[in-house]
Amino acid sequence: MNATAGNAAQPRHFGAVLTAMVTPFDAQGRLDLGAAQRLARWLAGRGHDALVVAGTTGEGSSLTDEEHSDLVRAVAQAVTIPVLAGTGSGDTARSVALTRRAQGLGAAGVLVVAPYYTRPPQAGLEAHLRAVAGATRLPVMAYDVPLRTGRRIAREVLLRLFREVPNLVAFKDATGDPAAAADLVAQAGAHFDLYAGDDALTLPLLAVGGVGLVGTSTHWTSPVFKELIEAFGRGDVQRARELNQRLLPSFAFASGEDWVFAMSAKAMLRTLGLEVGDCRLPLPPAPPQLAVQARQVWQQLNG
């Protein structure tokens, strides 16, 4: 990496440190809007530039449409930073409906994941994203996570979308392919902001033109990420590397064989005294060792 001060890409819409916020549930598994507002305010106070609600980590696929609307409205009312609504799904009509609704609920933008499970061909992926973006005046962040959706969005499709769809302004890249991200930025970088969708790849993506991340470990690491991005932006790559190394235990903790991101983030938040409840099935209750690991990771981060 060879950055100099002033050469780092700057976010144009949502800021640099975004968190895919968990969705709190109560002991009976019901949506807890009060806890969601408290969590949102707590996150906003820790340097987050924006929040994403009802995304993958927010268990958006386990929410009813009514719960989705209530959550977006409640969080948008609780904070002054931008709130993006996760409105992607495996059904284009539902994604369009959720997107239209989000516009009247206080959302500042929407995050749209590629349709999952059906694995549509590239023509279907492109038509889906055009339809959703065309349903709103809000800025749209496209999200490519082929490990979950089963189909990667082709570079040619992304290039057309970013060049031709005016409100498609950002890309959450969870493909694990920094070389492809560099090529995309080189060809269409003036049309969109690149965000890391994998916390551990934030520094590599900054090096190829990224502006920040939509993170999960950022629930508890946001001040460190803020400093890392600022250090890189002023050309202090050595400091950015040191901060990235400090984050390694958090990256390892975020997902494992017996838990996924929503489970680890909630375990950490409970460790920090925030009531967020367990996840909904099909995500099971957190295994006991997760709380032990959460305490260890927090102590390492702040030791």
Side-chain angles (χ1 to χ4, degrees):
M1 285 173 251
N2 193 10
T4 57
N7 286 345
Q10 298 297 314
R12 289 166 286 191
H13 299 280
F14 306 120
V17 179
L18 288 67
T19 286
M21 194 181 94
V22 301
T23 298
F25 300 115
D26 66 17
Q28 286 72 46
R30 297 171 301 205
L31 179 63
D32 191 335
L33 294 176
Q37 290 186 315
R38 289 189 293 273
L39 173 59
R41 287 191 289 265
W42 184 82
L43 292 170
R46 288 176 57 82
H48 293 76
D49 295 314
L51 301 175
V52 175
V53 298
T56 305
T57 301
E59 301 177 73
S61 61
S62 299
L63 300 174
T64 67
D65 289 359
E66 181 180 3
E67 288 175 327
H68 184 281
S69 295
D70 290 344
L71 179 64
V72 173
R73 182 188 298 109
V75 174
Q77 290 174 347
V79 297
T80 57
I81 60 175
V83 173
L84 283 73
T87 59
S89 75
D91 174 6
T92 301
R94 179 172 185 256
S95 298
V96 165
L98 291 175
T99 299
R100 285 177 174 155
R101 195 177 303 170
Q103 189 164 296
L105 299 174
V110 294
L111 175 73
V112 182
V113 68
Y116 42 78
Y117 182 70
T118 52
R119 298 181 72 247
Q122 294 300 322
L125 294 174
E126 183 170 356
H128 175 89
L129 289 167
R130 285 183 184 273
V132 177
T136 184
R137 297 186 304 273
L138 293 174
V140 176
M141 179 185 294
Y143 178 21
D144 194 11
V145 54
L147 182 65
R148 293 180 182 274
T149 64
R151 180 87 72 188
R152 183 169 177 173
I153 307 172
R155 180 189 62 179
E156 293 75 16
V157 169
L158 290 171
L159 288 172
R160 279 196 299 273
L161 289 169
F162 289 129
R163 289 169 176 167
E164 297 174 8
V165 182
N167 63 330
L168 193 57
V169 300
F171 181 45
K172 180 181 177 183
D173 187 343
T175 65
D177 190 349
D183 184 65
L184 189 64
V185 169
Q187 297 196 53
H191 299 275
F192 76 101
D193 288 343
L194 173 67
Y195 287 89
D198 180 342
D199 298 19
L201 289 181
T202 300
L203 185 53
L205 289 188
L206 288 175
V208 301
V211 301
L213 78 158
V214 181
T216 300
S217 71
T218 46
H219 279 89
W220 66 92
T221 61
S222 57
V224 182
F225 266 112
K226 198 88 169 179
E227 187 180 353
L228 184 158
I229 293 167
E230 290 172 354
F232 188 87
R234 65 175 181 267
D236 191 350
V237 179
Q238 180 58 40
R239 179 58 178 160
R241 286 172 175 161
E242 292 169 357
L243 291 164
N244 190 69
Q245 290 169 5
R246 182 176 163 192
L247 289 165
L248 293 177
S250 291
F251 299 158
F253 166 73
S255 184
E257 289 296 320
D258 297 318
W259 59 85
V260 297
F261 300 100
M263 297 165 68
S264 58
K266 285 190 169 184
M268 180 63 77
L269 291 169
R270 288 192 295 268
T271 295
L272 300 180
L274 289 151
E275 292 301 323
V276 291
D278 281 315
C279 296
R280 281 180 172 173
L281 289 173
L283 298 182
Q289 70 267 29
L290 199 55
V292 175
Q293 291 196 29
R295 288 191 293 271
Q296 294 172 342
V297 168
W298 179 251
Q299 290 168 357
Q300 288 176 297
L301 184 68
N302 297 280

